[in-house]
Amino acid sequence: MTKPPDLMLAVLLFLILALSAFIFQFNGLFGQDAHEYLRLTRALNDYFKNGTALTHSYFPIFYPFAGLLVSKVVWNDIVAMQLVSILSLVISFFYLKKLIGIIHDNGKWVNGWLILFFFFSPYVFRFGLLSMSDMLCLLFVIAAVYHAIRFSKLGAWKDSCWSACFGACAIETRYAAVVIIIFPAIILVRKFIRSADWKTALISAVAALIVFLPDLLIRKRLGFLDVSNSKFRIDYGSNAYSWSPFNFFRNVFENADGVQHYNVWNMVAATYNVIHPAYIFTGIVFLFFLKKKDFASTEIKMMSAIIIVYGLFIAGLQYQNNRYLLQSFPWVIIIFFPAAQRLAARFISEPIQLTFVAGIVVAQQALFWYSFQNIYTLNQTEREIA
């Protein structure tokens, strides 16, 4: 059960995001993808209300479905879509806090660390306001890993079921999440084999399969597989088809959007959630305070593997987008935590702590506004045209 201080913090984080959206009159919608999610939400409402079949869409169903559920409470689907992202960020914050507690066994400064470098991270804060599937997927990914680690340590069947369920939800929210969900799945399978707890394995598998049922019944899709007409066909509108290791060392691509020119190789861009100001503007500094012992635990080794494998997946695409790196950013935050503690203990004395915190918040929000301007302008332009 959430402790009162955590509940108060959750309300504060929610109000910061909600007031930011209200003050700037930003409804979360921008560009084609966000409006497609809104269209799917309305199409789902029409399906349940009138039985109207959904037209084809490559997008997973869970984010628009979540938007539909919330819209029944707030009576506005546009507000509901943004609320899903806001709530997802707030809940992700506390799942990350629990993960740090499990892995590092040291809660000192954890709230401050997550507020400064996770919640106020320019890209994280930005996606907490957007009507996109990224933040909901991030919540499911973090929750799947958290419960998998708890199951490996405590063996409670409920954690196994929750991990399997949240992992399936992540895939049904963003198909590319399967690259990350493989890792908590391995944790569960290893535990099943070692304990020979096949009953829990079966229940967990059923829990995961149930998550895929709505999409299967409504659209005849099993994840990104089209199973209509008794055929299994990959139906995934993504540049993942063009994945190649040769793209690691390229920065010019020709794809469906035309010829794309970028400043750096894909391999370099894939490290941006570790060193780029859009994610963590002091990331390079933290690298120098890491120690070999920080990577001793199995959990941290797994999280390092997630960052590397997912980074290689992103680097192999014929495209660059910092947005894609959001899903592996929580593991960067967890790995950097001991380094941040060492830095703070060594250089940040108590008299300057408040000044330091204020400076970090101002710097992060300045970077957020810098990265947010184009989206905000596009949003306002689209609303004027509409």
Side-chain angles (χ1 to χ4, degrees):
M1 190 171 181
T2 305
K3 298 177 183 178
D6 280 353
L7 182 59
M8 292 173 61
L9 179 57
V11 172
L12 176 62
L13 298 180
F14 175 85
L15 288 175
I16 289 172
L17 288 163
L19 287 173
S20 297
F22 177 77
I23 290 170
F24 291 107
Q25 290 296 292
F26 179 73
N27 63 6
L29 294 171
F30 79 101
Q32 179 177 324
D33 287 3
H35 285 89
E36 173 65 5
Y37 281 122
L38 178 62
R39 185 195 70 79
L40 271 174
T41 298
R42 292 174 175 175
L44 282 169
N45 184 62
D46 203 26
Y47 170 83
F48 289 115
K49 193 174 181 179
N50 303 314
T52 306
L54 271 69
T55 56
H56 179 270
S57 177
Y58 292 116
F59 284 18
I61 201 172
F62 255 50
Y63 176 61
F65 186 67
L68 175 62
L69 293 178
V70 176
S71 72
K72 299 305 179 183
V73 178
V74 300
W75 299 102
N76 185 308
D77 51 14
I78 294 177
V79 172
M81 301 290 281
Q82 190 176 45
L83 270 177
V84 170
S85 294
I86 290 174
L87 291 170
S88 296
L89 174 50
V90 174
I91 299 171
S92 295
F93 179 97
F94 290 98
Y95 259 115
L96 264 184
K97 182 178 177 180
K98 288 175 178 291
L99 260 174
I100 289 177
I102 287 178
I103 294 169
H104 294 300
D105 295 323
N106 189 342
K108 189 176 182 182
W109 299 326
V110 66
N111 278 342
W113 168 246
L114 290 176
I115 289 171
L116 292 178
F117 292 98
F118 177 70
F119 182 79
F120 279 122
S121 165
Y123 260 48
V124 173
F125 194 85
R126 186 170 100 177
F127 278 99
L129 295 174
L130 299 183
S131 296
M132 297 283 280
S133 63
D134 302 82
M135 195 52 65
L136 180 63
C137 182
L138 190 74
L139 167 60
F140 289 142
V141 166
I142 295 171
V145 171
Y146 169 74
H147 286 287
I149 291 174
R150 271 185 59 93
F151 178 64
S152 70
K153 290 179 176 294
L154 305 176
W157 68 271
K158 290 183 180 179
D159 283 312
S160 174
C161 291
W162 279 119
S163 181
C165 183
F166 284 132
C169 288
I171 296 170
E172 279 289 273
T173 305
R174 284 188 65 80
Y175 296 139
V178 69
V179 178
I180 297 176
I181 295 304
I182 288 171
F183 290 90
I186 290 173
I187 293 176
L188 297 184
V189 171
R190 285 182 62 187
K191 183 69 173 179
F192 294 148
I193 294 174
R194 289 179 177 179
S195 64
D197 189 357
W198 305 117
K199 180 180 179 181
T200 298
L202 178 61
I203 295 173
S204 301
V206 171
L209 289 173
I210 288 173
V211 171
F212 291 102
L213 278 180
D215 210 5
L216 183 63
L217 296 174
I218 294 171
R219 301 193 299 174
K220 300 295 189 292
R221 290 177 68 94
L222 188 62
F224 46 79
L225 295 174
D226 183 342
V227 297
S228 59
N229 302 319
S230 301
K231 294 180 180 180
F232 284 79
R233 178 176 65 91
I234 295 177
D235 187 29
Y236 188 11
S238 167
N239 52 24
Y241 292 122
S242 60
W243 190 94
S244 168
F246 295 109
N247 292 332
F248 293 174
F249 308 102
R250 292 174 178 167
N251 65 333
V252 179
F253 305 99
E254 185 174 354
N255 51 41
D257 296 323
V259 179
Q260 307 290 320
H261 296 264
Y262 302 100
N263 294 325
V264 298
W265 286 346
N266 272 12
M267 182 65 83
V268 177
T271 67
Y272 278 180
N273 58 359
V274 179
I275 61 173
H276 198 282
Y279 280 102
I280 183 165
F281 77 100
T282 52
I284 295 177
V285 177
F286 292 137
L287 286 173
F288 289 101
F289 285 85
L290 287 173
K291 292 186 177 181
K292 185 178 180 180
K293 66 179 182 180
D294 295 338
F295 298 89
S297 71
T298 302
E299 293 81 12
I300 292 297
K301 289 175 181 175
M302 179 198 70
M303 292 176 184
S304 301
I306 290 176
I307 295 169
I308 293 170
V309 172
Y310 190 71
L312 291 174
F313 169 69
I314 298 302
L317 302 177
Q318 286 189 341
Y319 197 71
Q320 284 183 27
N321 192 329
N322 286 347
R323 163 195 173 196
Y324 296 159
L325 296 170
L326 180 69
Q327 302 304 321
S328 59
F329 183 60
W331 324 123
V332 177
I333 288 292
I334 291 174
I335 291 171
F336 274 169
F337 183 59
Q341 286 182 306
R342 292 186 194 105
L343 187 150
R346 184 171 178 180
F347 295 107
I348 305 171
S349 60
E350 192 168 332
I352 66 168
Q353 282 182 4
L354 185 59
T355 303
F356 175 80
V357 169
I360 293 291
V361 171
V362 170
Q364 295 274 57
Q365 287 304 284
L367 290 167
F368 157 73
W369 180 245
Y370 177 78
S371 70
F372 187 66
Q373 282 182 342
N374 289 340
I375 289 176
Y376 181 72
T377 301
L378 180 60
N379 170 267
Q380 297 302 304
T381 302
E382 289 173 345
R383 293 175 72 173
E384 287 179 14
I385 293 172

